[in-house]
Every structure is written in C-alpha cells, then in structure tokens.
Amino acid sequence: ITVSGTVNIPAGPVDNLFFSEYIEGASNNKAIEIFNASDVTVDLSRYKVELYSNGSTTAGNTLILSGTLAPGEVYVIANASAAAEILAVADITSTVTYFNGDDALALRCLNPDTIIDVIGEIGSDPGDYWPVAGVATATLDHTLIRKPTITSGNTDWAQQQGTNAEDSEWIVMPVGT
C-alpha cells in the first residue's frame, strides 16, 4: 500500500501553541505541557522553551524542541528525576524544568524571534511564588491547568493570573496533583 499526501506546516509562529499545564510539585516532580490548539501539524524545531530563574532577564536554561506536534496533541517536558507517573507521559526530559514557584518560563518561536506564551514574569522575582486565580501560593507545589476556553498563548502574565477563579486563565489544582 502506498500512501501519499502533504502536511501543511505554517511558516510563521502558530499562535495557538501554548503552555497548557505547569506542574511544580514536591522535590523534582516538575513538568510543562505544551498544547497544539491549531488545526495544523506544528514543526516544533521552530520553538524553544526558556527558563528565567530568580528574576533574571536572561534565560539560564533553554530547550530547542524537536519533532512535530499534531493538532490537539500535547508535548510534555519533565524533570529527569520526576516520579515515574510523570516520566511515563513525558516526551523529553530537560533542565528547563529546574524551576521553583518564583521562576518564569517562556515559549519562544525562533523565526520570527518572538515569545508567544509565558508563565510568570520575566525579570521579576516575586519571592517564593506568584498568585494565580486568587490562590496566593499557586505557582509553588501546585499544578496549573489552562482553562479549556483558552486557545492561544498570552504574554501578559498579569492577565493570565487573574484575581480569582473566574477571571484567571488557569485552574489551580491542590498540592501534589
């Protein structure tokens, strides 16, 4: 059997590629999930994840992604020392997961060079954590899940955070989720 066809991989950044889950669990149980909410397969080699630690304006750890991500699929980046349950669903392990509740993450398109989504505020150190959805310690030892109504990245962290469960882009799950 011969199968032929084409895959449409867009030239510019895919606006609906974004962080859909953030796991900042106890010890090394940390992971980031990226979701493709578009209707096209995305060439991940055109994107990278950057970790900005302790209020830095320069990324200390980066990961250039690889492979492709089909519409409606997720790409999971985990800490290499995370629990087996997290590693079982990971696509890759990386040092970009060496974050704590006060470190910022960015999803960057490489061409054109532009940040398309963030978690936290680059260049800002909030202390130990950022509040999200009215939960004061949300980015510390919690899992954040992007609401299903969100279909694209957002570089405005204050807008993402919101002040309560209704106006936030995130659902804050209990410690250890």
PDB file of all heavy atoms in Angstrom, residues 107-144:
ATOM      1  N   LEU A 107       7.701  30.367  26.111  1.00  0.00           N
ATOM      2  CA  LEU A 107       7.655  29.579  24.885  1.00  0.00           C
ATOM      3  C   LEU A 107       7.941  30.561  23.757  1.00  0.00           C
ATOM      4  O   LEU A 107       7.205  31.540  23.580  1.00  0.00           O
ATOM      5  CB  LEU A 107       6.285  28.921  24.709  1.00  0.00           C
ATOM      6  CG  LEU A 107       6.076  28.081  23.456  1.00  0.00           C
ATOM      7  CD1 LEU A 107       7.083  26.935  23.368  1.00  0.00           C
ATOM      8  CD2 LEU A 107       4.646  27.544  23.419  1.00  0.00           C
ATOM      9  N   ARG A 108       9.029  30.326  23.042  1.00  0.00           N
ATOM     10  CA  ARG A 108       9.515  31.283  22.051  1.00  0.00           C
ATOM     11  C   ARG A 108       9.531  30.646  20.670  1.00  0.00           C
ATOM     12  O   ARG A 108      10.032  29.539  20.485  1.00  0.00           O
ATOM     13  CB  ARG A 108      10.926  31.730  22.417  1.00  0.00           C
ATOM     14  CG  ARG A 108      11.531  32.746  21.450  1.00  0.00           C
ATOM     15  CD  ARG A 108      12.941  33.141  21.842  1.00  0.00           C
ATOM     16  NE  ARG A 108      13.011  33.874  23.080  1.00  0.00           N
ATOM     17  CZ  ARG A 108      12.907  35.205  23.192  1.00  0.00           C
ATOM     18  NH1 ARG A 108      12.701  35.933  22.119  1.00  0.00           N
ATOM     19  NH2 ARG A 108      13.026  35.786  24.370  1.00  0.00           N
ATOM     20  N   CYS A 109       9.001  31.361  19.696  1.00  0.00           N
ATOM     21  CA  CYS A 109       9.159  30.996  18.286  1.00  0.00           C
ATOM     22  C   CYS A 109      10.522  31.517  17.857  1.00  0.00           C
ATOM     23  O   CYS A 109      10.910  32.632  18.222  1.00  0.00           O
ATOM     24  CB  CYS A 109       8.054  31.618  17.446  1.00  0.00           C
ATOM     25  SG  CYS A 109       8.178  31.205  15.692  1.00  0.00           S
ATOM     26  N   LEU A 110      11.273  30.743  17.106  1.00  0.00           N
ATOM     27  CA  LEU A 110      12.618  31.144  16.695  1.00  0.00           C
ATOM     28  C   LEU A 110      12.639  32.020  15.448  1.00  0.00           C
ATOM     29  O   LEU A 110      13.559  32.791  15.250  1.00  0.00           O
ATOM     30  CB  LEU A 110      13.486  29.904  16.479  1.00  0.00           C
ATOM     31  CG  LEU A 110      13.679  29.028  17.724  1.00  0.00           C
ATOM     32  CD1 LEU A 110      14.423  27.754  17.375  1.00  0.00           C
ATOM     33  CD2 LEU A 110      14.401  29.804  18.805  1.00  0.00           C
ATOM     34  N   ASN A 111      11.614  31.896  14.586  1.00  0.00           N
ATOM     35  CA  ASN A 111      11.598  32.679  13.360  1.00  0.00           C
ATOM     36  C   ASN A 111      10.167  33.010  12.971  1.00  0.00           C
ATOM     37  O   ASN A 111       9.456  32.111  12.525  1.00  0.00           O
ATOM     38  CB  ASN A 111      12.295  31.935  12.238  1.00  0.00           C
ATOM     39  CG  ASN A 111      12.448  32.772  10.990  1.00  0.00           C
ATOM     40  OD1 ASN A 111      12.333  33.986  11.031  1.00  0.00           O
ATOM     41  ND2 ASN A 111      12.686  32.111   9.871  1.00  0.00           N
ATOM     42  N   PRO A 112       9.691  34.219  13.152  1.00  0.00           N
ATOM     43  CA  PRO A 112      10.442  35.334  13.709  1.00  0.00           C
ATOM     44  C   PRO A 112      10.621  35.156  15.221  1.00  0.00           C
ATOM     45  O   PRO A 112       9.790  34.533  15.889  1.00  0.00           O
ATOM     46  CB  PRO A 112       9.562  36.549  13.406  1.00  0.00           C
ATOM     47  CG  PRO A 112       8.176  35.990  13.364  1.00  0.00           C
ATOM     48  CD  PRO A 112       8.312  34.593  12.831  1.00  0.00           C
ATOM     49  N   ASP A 113      11.710  35.708  15.743  1.00  0.00           N
ATOM     50  CA  ASP A 113      12.056  35.575  17.152  1.00  0.00           C
ATOM     51  C   ASP A 113      11.039  36.334  18.006  1.00  0.00           C
ATOM     52  O   ASP A 113      11.059  37.558  18.058  1.00  0.00           O
ATOM     53  CB  ASP A 113      13.467  36.093  17.397  1.00  0.00           C
ATOM     54  CG  ASP A 113      13.931  35.880  18.824  1.00  0.00           C
ATOM     55  OD1 ASP A 113      13.264  35.134  19.565  1.00  0.00           O
ATOM     56  OD2 ASP A 113      14.959  36.463  19.198  1.00  0.00           O
ATOM     57  N   THR A 114      10.138  35.577  18.644  1.00  0.00           N
ATOM     58  CA  THR A 114       9.101  36.203  19.445  1.00  0.00           C
ATOM     59  C   THR A 114       8.587  35.252  20.514  1.00  0.00           C
ATOM     60  O   THR A 114       8.439  34.051  20.268  1.00  0.00           O
ATOM     61  CB  THR A 114       7.934  36.695  18.555  1.00  0.00           C
ATOM     62  OG1 THR A 114       6.994  37.391  19.353  1.00  0.00           O
ATOM     63  CG2 THR A 114       7.235  35.555  17.854  1.00  0.00           C
ATOM     64  N   ILE A 115       8.357  35.776  21.694  1.00  0.00           N
ATOM     65  CA  ILE A 115       7.758  34.981  22.765  1.00  0.00           C
ATOM     66  C   ILE A 115       6.269  34.902  22.501  1.00  0.00           C
ATOM     67  O   ILE A 115       5.619  35.923  22.245  1.00  0.00           O
ATOM     68  CB  ILE A 115       8.054  35.609  24.143  1.00  0.00           C
ATOM     69  CG1 ILE A 115       9.553  35.523  24.451  1.00  0.00           C
ATOM     70  CG2 ILE A 115       7.241  34.904  25.235  1.00  0.00           C
ATOM     71  CD1 ILE A 115       9.974  36.216  25.736  1.00  0.00           C
ATOM     72  N   ILE A 116       5.712  33.677  22.568  1.00  0.00           N
ATOM     73  CA  ILE A 116       4.287  33.504  22.298  1.00  0.00           C
ATOM     74  C   ILE A 116       3.484  33.112  23.531  1.00  0.00           C
ATOM     75  O   ILE A 116       2.258  33.165  23.504  1.00  0.00           O
ATOM     76  CB  ILE A 116       4.042  32.504  21.144  1.00  0.00           C
ATOM     77  CG1 ILE A 116       4.613  31.127  21.467  1.00  0.00           C
ATOM     78  CG2 ILE A 116       4.615  33.049  19.846  1.00  0.00           C
ATOM     79  CD1 ILE A 116       4.262  30.057  20.448  1.00  0.00           C
ATOM     80  N   ASP A 117       4.164  32.726  24.621  1.00  0.00           N
ATOM     81  CA  ASP A 117       3.458  32.414  25.864  1.00  0.00           C
ATOM     82  C   ASP A 117       4.449  32.469  27.021  1.00  0.00           C
ATOM     83  O   ASP A 117       5.652  32.243  26.824  1.00  0.00           O
ATOM     84  CB  ASP A 117       2.802  31.032  25.790  1.00  0.00           C
ATOM     85  CG  ASP A 117       1.687  30.841  26.812  1.00  0.00           C
ATOM     86  OD1 ASP A 117       1.216  31.837  27.404  1.00  0.00           O
ATOM     87  OD2 ASP A 117       1.275  29.683  27.016  1.00  0.00           O
ATOM     88  N   VAL A 118       3.951  32.777  28.205  1.00  0.00           N
ATOM     89  CA  VAL A 118       4.785  32.825  29.406  1.00  0.00           C
ATOM     90  C   VAL A 118       4.043  32.227  30.588  1.00  0.00           C
ATOM     91  O   VAL A 118       2.816  32.151  30.602  1.00  0.00           O
ATOM     92  CB  VAL A 118       5.224  34.266  29.787  1.00  0.00           C
ATOM     93  CG1 VAL A 118       6.098  34.877  28.720  1.00  0.00           C
ATOM     94  CG2 VAL A 118       4.027  35.136  30.100  1.00  0.00           C
ATOM     95  N   ILE A 119       4.819  31.810  31.560  1.00  0.00           N
ATOM     96  CA  ILE A 119       4.326  31.511  32.905  1.00  0.00           C
ATOM     97  C   ILE A 119       5.236  32.316  33.817  1.00  0.00           C
ATOM     98  O   ILE A 119       6.453  32.138  33.805  1.00  0.00           O
ATOM     99  CB  ILE A 119       4.389  30.014  33.241  1.00  0.00           C
ATOM    100  CG1 ILE A 119       3.473  29.219  32.316  1.00  0.00           C
ATOM    101  CG2 ILE A 119       4.023  29.776  34.719  1.00  0.00           C
ATOM    102  CD1 ILE A 119       3.573  27.712  32.464  1.00  0.00           C
ATOM    103  N   GLY A 120       4.679  33.224  34.569  1.00  0.00           N
ATOM    104  CA  GLY A 120       5.476  34.121  35.393  1.00  0.00           C
ATOM    105  C   GLY A 120       5.877  35.351  34.610  1.00  0.00           C
ATOM    106  O   GLY A 120       5.551  35.497  33.426  1.00  0.00           O
ATOM    107  N   GLU A 121       6.588  36.239  35.273  1.00  0.00           N
ATOM    108  CA  GLU A 121       7.010  37.497  34.656  1.00  0.00           C
ATOM    109  C   GLU A 121       8.532  37.516  34.540  1.00  0.00           C
ATOM    110  O   GLU A 121       9.236  37.509  35.554  1.00  0.00           O
ATOM    111  CB  GLU A 121       6.530  38.673  35.490  1.00  0.00           C
ATOM    112  CG  GLU A 121       6.801  40.002  34.854  1.00  0.00           C
ATOM    113  CD  GLU A 121       6.257  41.161  35.666  1.00  0.00           C
ATOM    114  OE1 GLU A 121       5.327  40.967  36.463  1.00  0.00           O
ATOM    115  OE2 GLU A 121       6.798  42.265  35.509  1.00  0.00           O
ATOM    116  N   ILE A 122       9.024  37.546  33.309  1.00  0.00           N
ATOM    117  CA  ILE A 122      10.464  37.572  33.055  1.00  0.00           C
ATOM    118  C   ILE A 122      11.050  38.846  33.665  1.00  0.00           C
ATOM    119  O   ILE A 122      10.513  39.937  33.493  1.00  0.00           O
ATOM    120  CB  ILE A 122      10.753  37.500  31.548  1.00  0.00           C
ATOM    121  CG1 ILE A 122      10.258  36.156  30.992  1.00  0.00           C
ATOM    122  CG2 ILE A 122      12.238  37.684  31.252  1.00  0.00           C
ATOM    123  CD1 ILE A 122      10.239  36.059  29.494  1.00  0.00           C
ATOM    124  N   GLY A 123      12.147  38.690  34.418  1.00  0.00           N
ATOM    125  CA  GLY A 123      12.808  39.827  35.031  1.00  0.00           C
ATOM    126  C   GLY A 123      12.242  40.215  36.383  1.00  0.00           C
ATOM    127  O   GLY A 123      12.667  41.196  36.977  1.00  0.00           O
ATOM    128  N   SER A 124      11.305  39.441  36.886  1.00  0.00           N
ATOM    129  CA  SER A 124      10.684  39.736  38.178  1.00  0.00           C
ATOM    130  C   SER A 124      10.853  38.542  39.114  1.00  0.00           C
ATOM    131  O   SER A 124      10.663  37.402  38.697  1.00  0.00           O
ATOM    132  CB  SER A 124       9.187  40.023  37.978  1.00  0.00           C
ATOM    133  OG  SER A 124       8.547  40.195  39.217  1.00  0.00           O
ATOM    134  N   ASP A 125      11.205  38.818  40.351  1.00  0.00           N
ATOM    135  CA  ASP A 125      11.293  37.772  41.363  1.00  0.00           C
ATOM    136  C   ASP A 125      10.246  38.082  42.435  1.00  0.00           C
ATOM    137  O   ASP A 125      10.415  39.009  43.221  1.00  0.00           O
ATOM    138  CB  ASP A 125      12.689  37.719  41.983  1.00  0.00           C
ATOM    139  CG  ASP A 125      12.870  36.538  42.927  1.00  0.00           C
ATOM    140  OD1 ASP A 125      11.861  35.884  43.281  1.00  0.00           O
ATOM    141  OD2 ASP A 125      14.012  36.264  43.309  1.00  0.00           O
ATOM    142  N   PRO A 126       9.152  37.307  42.461  1.00  0.00           N
ATOM    143  CA  PRO A 126       8.069  37.611  43.387  1.00  0.00           C
ATOM    144  C   PRO A 126       8.320  37.147  44.823  1.00  0.00           C
ATOM    145  O   PRO A 126       7.458  37.317  45.678  1.00  0.00           O
ATOM    146  CB  PRO A 126       6.895  36.839  42.781  1.00  0.00           C
ATOM    147  CG  PRO A 126       7.552  35.624  42.214  1.00  0.00           C
ATOM    148  CD  PRO A 126       8.868  36.134  41.655  1.00  0.00           C
ATOM    149  N   GLY A 127       9.463  36.550  45.072  1.00  0.00           N
ATOM    150  CA  GLY A 127       9.734  35.960  46.386  1.00  0.00           C
ATOM    151  C   GLY A 127       9.771  34.459  46.232  1.00  0.00           C
ATOM    152  O   GLY A 127      10.709  33.923  45.661  1.00  0.00           O
ATOM    153  N   ASP A 128       8.733  33.783  46.658  1.00  0.00           N
ATOM    154  CA  ASP A 128       8.683  32.320  46.553  1.00  0.00           C
ATOM    155  C   ASP A 128       7.672  31.806  45.539  1.00  0.00           C
ATOM    156  O   ASP A 128       7.726  30.658  45.131  1.00  0.00           O
ATOM    157  CB  ASP A 128       8.363  31.696  47.921  1.00  0.00           C
ATOM    158  CG  ASP A 128       9.474  31.920  48.930  1.00  0.00           C
ATOM    159  OD1 ASP A 128      10.649  31.942  48.517  1.00  0.00           O
ATOM    160  OD2 ASP A 128       9.167  32.064  50.122  1.00  0.00           O
ATOM    161  N   TYR A 129       6.717  32.640  45.115  1.00  0.00           N
ATOM    162  CA  TYR A 129       5.629  32.175  44.257  1.00  0.00           C
ATOM    163  C   TYR A 129       4.852  33.363  43.699  1.00  0.00           C
ATOM    164  O   TYR A 129       4.981  34.489  44.179  1.00  0.00           O
ATOM    165  CB  TYR A 129       4.661  31.284  45.037  1.00  0.00           C
ATOM    166  CG  TYR A 129       4.349  31.843  46.402  1.00  0.00           C
ATOM    167  CD1 TYR A 129       3.454  32.897  46.568  1.00  0.00           C
ATOM    168  CD2 TYR A 129       4.982  31.344  47.531  1.00  0.00           C
ATOM    169  CE1 TYR A 129       3.187  33.428  47.824  1.00  0.00           C
ATOM    170  CE2 TYR A 129       4.725  31.860  48.794  1.00  0.00           C
ATOM    171  CZ  TYR A 129       3.819  32.907  48.919  1.00  0.00           C
ATOM    172  OH  TYR A 129       3.577  33.441  50.161  1.00  0.00           O
ATOM    173  N   TRP A 130       4.032  33.055  42.682  1.00  0.00           N
ATOM    174  CA  TRP A 130       3.088  34.028  42.145  1.00  0.00           C
ATOM    175  C   TRP A 130       1.678  33.570  42.504  1.00  0.00           C
ATOM    176  O   TRP A 130       1.376  32.373  42.470  1.00  0.00           O
ATOM    177  CB  TRP A 130       3.170  34.102  40.621  1.00  0.00           C
ATOM    178  CG  TRP A 130       4.202  35.041  40.096  1.00  0.00           C
ATOM    179  CD1 TRP A 130       4.151  36.404  40.111  1.00  0.00           C
ATOM    180  CD2 TRP A 130       5.429  34.699  39.458  1.00  0.00           C
ATOM    181  NE1 TRP A 130       5.280  36.922  39.524  1.00  0.00           N
ATOM    182  CE2 TRP A 130       6.083  35.899  39.117  1.00  0.00           C
ATOM    183  CE3 TRP A 130       6.046  33.494  39.144  1.00  0.00           C
ATOM    184  CZ2 TRP A 130       7.302  35.938  38.468  1.00  0.00           C
ATOM    185  CZ3 TRP A 130       7.268  33.532  38.504  1.00  0.00           C
ATOM    186  CH2 TRP A 130       7.888  34.743  38.175  1.00  0.00           C
ATOM    187  N   PRO A 131       0.804  34.508  42.799  1.00  0.00           N
ATOM    188  CA  PRO A 131      -0.595  34.144  42.984  1.00  0.00           C
ATOM    189  C   PRO A 131      -1.258  33.926  41.620  1.00  0.00           C
ATOM    190  O   PRO A 131      -0.892  34.582  40.639  1.00  0.00           O
ATOM    191  CB  PRO A 131      -1.195  35.362  43.689  1.00  0.00           C
ATOM    192  CG  PRO A 131      -0.331  36.507  43.259  1.00  0.00           C
ATOM    193  CD  PRO A 131       1.045  35.929  43.059  1.00  0.00           C
ATOM    194  N   VAL A 132      -2.179  32.999  41.569  1.00  0.00           N
ATOM    195  CA  VAL A 132      -2.947  32.740  40.351  1.00  0.00           C
ATOM    196  C   VAL A 132      -4.370  32.390  40.785  1.00  0.00           C
ATOM    197  O   VAL A 132      -4.564  31.600  41.717  1.00  0.00           O
ATOM    198  CB  VAL A 132      -2.351  31.568  39.534  1.00  0.00           C
ATOM    199  CG1 VAL A 132      -3.216  31.259  38.316  1.00  0.00           C
ATOM    200  CG2 VAL A 132      -0.920  31.871  39.102  1.00  0.00           C
ATOM    201  N   ALA A 133      -5.339  32.971  40.132  1.00  0.00           N
ATOM    202  CA  ALA A 133      -6.752  32.667  40.377  1.00  0.00           C
ATOM    203  C   ALA A 133      -7.149  32.853  41.841  1.00  0.00           C
ATOM    204  O   ALA A 133      -7.990  32.126  42.354  1.00  0.00           O
ATOM    205  CB  ALA A 133      -7.089  31.262  39.892  1.00  0.00           C
ATOM    206  N   GLY A 134      -6.512  33.801  42.510  1.00  0.00           N
ATOM    207  CA  GLY A 134      -6.837  34.059  43.910  1.00  0.00           C
ATOM    208  C   GLY A 134      -6.153  33.136  44.897  1.00  0.00           C
ATOM    209  O   GLY A 134      -6.361  33.257  46.101  1.00  0.00           O
ATOM    210  N   VAL A 135      -5.320  32.218  44.416  1.00  0.00           N
ATOM    211  CA  VAL A 135      -4.561  31.312  45.293  1.00  0.00           C
ATOM    212  C   VAL A 135      -3.167  31.918  45.453  1.00  0.00           C
ATOM    213  O   VAL A 135      -2.394  31.980  44.496  1.00  0.00           O
ATOM    214  CB  VAL A 135      -4.474  29.885  44.705  1.00  0.00           C
ATOM    215  CG1 VAL A 135      -3.638  28.982  45.601  1.00  0.00           C
ATOM    216  CG2 VAL A 135      -5.864  29.311  44.494  1.00  0.00           C
ATOM    217  N   ALA A 136      -2.844  32.363  46.656  1.00  0.00           N
ATOM    218  CA  ALA A 136      -1.613  33.115  46.903  1.00  0.00           C
ATOM    219  C   ALA A 136      -0.353  32.352  46.494  1.00  0.00           C
ATOM    220  O   ALA A 136       0.556  32.923  45.901  1.00  0.00           O
ATOM    221  CB  ALA A 136      -1.525  33.523  48.365  1.00  0.00           C
ATOM    222  N   THR A 137      -0.279  31.070  46.779  1.00  0.00           N
ATOM    223  CA  THR A 137       0.932  30.268  46.533  1.00  0.00           C
ATOM    224  C   THR A 137       0.792  29.361  45.301  1.00  0.00           C
ATOM    225  O   THR A 137       1.413  28.313  45.225  1.00  0.00           O
ATOM    226  CB  THR A 137       1.255  29.402  47.768  1.00  0.00           C
ATOM    227  OG1 THR A 137       0.150  28.505  47.988  1.00  0.00           O
ATOM    228  CG2 THR A 137       1.486  30.244  48.997  1.00  0.00           C
ATOM    229  N   ALA A 138       0.028  29.776  44.324  1.00  0.00           N
ATOM    230  CA  ALA A 138      -0.358  28.912  43.203  1.00  0.00           C
ATOM    231  C   ALA A 138       0.807  28.307  42.425  1.00  0.00           C
ATOM    232  O   ALA A 138       0.732  27.157  41.994  1.00  0.00           O
ATOM    233  CB  ALA A 138      -1.271  29.667  42.247  1.00  0.00           C
ATOM    234  N   THR A 139       1.884  29.052  42.219  1.00  0.00           N
ATOM    235  CA  THR A 139       2.980  28.509  41.401  1.00  0.00           C
ATOM    236  C   THR A 139       3.992  27.716  42.225  1.00  0.00           C
ATOM    237  O   THR A 139       5.007  27.279  41.687  1.00  0.00           O
ATOM    238  CB  THR A 139       3.715  29.627  40.626  1.00  0.00           C
ATOM    239  OG1 THR A 139       4.217  30.589  41.557  1.00  0.00           O
ATOM    240  CG2 THR A 139       2.796  30.279  39.596  1.00  0.00           C
ATOM    241  N   LEU A 140       3.707  27.502  43.487  1.00  0.00           N
ATOM    242  CA  LEU A 140       4.593  26.723  44.353  1.00  0.00           C
ATOM    243  C   LEU A 140       3.887  25.444  44.788  1.00  0.00           C
ATOM    244  O   LEU A 140       2.840  25.501  45.439  1.00  0.00           O
ATOM    245  CB  LEU A 140       5.002  27.539  45.586  1.00  0.00           C
ATOM    246  CG  LEU A 140       5.945  26.846  46.571  1.00  0.00           C
ATOM    247  CD1 LEU A 140       7.300  26.569  45.922  1.00  0.00           C
ATOM    248  CD2 LEU A 140       6.135  27.713  47.812  1.00  0.00           C
ATOM    249  N   ASP A 141       4.432  24.299  44.397  1.00  0.00           N
ATOM    250  CA  ASP A 141       3.904  22.986  44.781  1.00  0.00           C
ATOM    251  C   ASP A 141       2.477  22.721  44.307  1.00  0.00           C
ATOM    252  O   ASP A 141       1.773  21.909  44.895  1.00  0.00           O
ATOM    253  CB  ASP A 141       3.983  22.788  46.306  1.00  0.00           C
ATOM    254  CG  ASP A 141       5.415  22.753  46.812  1.00  0.00           C
ATOM    255  OD1 ASP A 141       6.313  22.393  46.031  1.00  0.00           O
ATOM    256  OD2 ASP A 141       5.628  23.097  47.983  1.00  0.00           O
ATOM    257  N   HIS A 142       2.047  23.392  43.268  1.00  0.00           N
ATOM    258  CA  HIS A 142       0.720  23.166  42.697  1.00  0.00           C
ATOM    259  C   HIS A 142       0.844  22.779  41.227  1.00  0.00           C
ATOM    260  O   HIS A 142       1.886  22.980  40.607  1.00  0.00           O
ATOM    261  CB  HIS A 142      -0.136  24.434  42.770  1.00  0.00           C
ATOM    262  CG  HIS A 142      -0.597  24.787  44.140  1.00  0.00           C
ATOM    263  ND1 HIS A 142       0.171  25.509  45.015  1.00  0.00           N
ATOM    264  CD2 HIS A 142      -1.754  24.525  44.784  1.00  0.00           C
ATOM    265  CE1 HIS A 142      -0.487  25.686  46.146  1.00  0.00           C
ATOM    266  NE2 HIS A 142      -1.664  25.091  46.029  1.00  0.00           N
ATOM    267  N   THR A 143      -0.239  22.279  40.687  1.00  0.00           N
ATOM    268  CA  THR A 143      -0.371  22.074  39.252  1.00  0.00           C
ATOM    269  C   THR A 143      -1.335  23.119  38.729  1.00  0.00           C
ATOM    270  O   THR A 143      -2.407  23.312  39.302  1.00  0.00           O
ATOM    271  CB  THR A 143      -0.901  20.660  38.945  1.00  0.00           C
ATOM    272  OG1 THR A 143       0.077  19.703  39.366  1.00  0.00           O
ATOM    273  CG2 THR A 143      -1.174  20.475  37.462  1.00  0.00           C
ATOM    274  N   LEU A 144      -0.942  23.797  37.656  1.00  0.00           N
ATOM    275  CA  LEU A 144      -1.818  24.755  36.990  1.00  0.00           C
ATOM    276  C   LEU A 144      -2.248  24.152  35.663  1.00  0.00           C
ATOM    277  O   LEU A 144      -1.410  23.655  34.907  1.00  0.00           O
ATOM    278  CB  LEU A 144      -1.095  26.075  36.725  1.00  0.00           C
ATOM    279  CG  LEU A 144      -0.475  26.798  37.912  1.00  0.00           C
ATOM    280  CD1 LEU A 144       0.191  28.088  37.447  1.00  0.00           C
ATOM    281  CD2 LEU A 144      -1.508  27.086  38.974  1.00  0.00           C
TER     282      LEU A 144
END
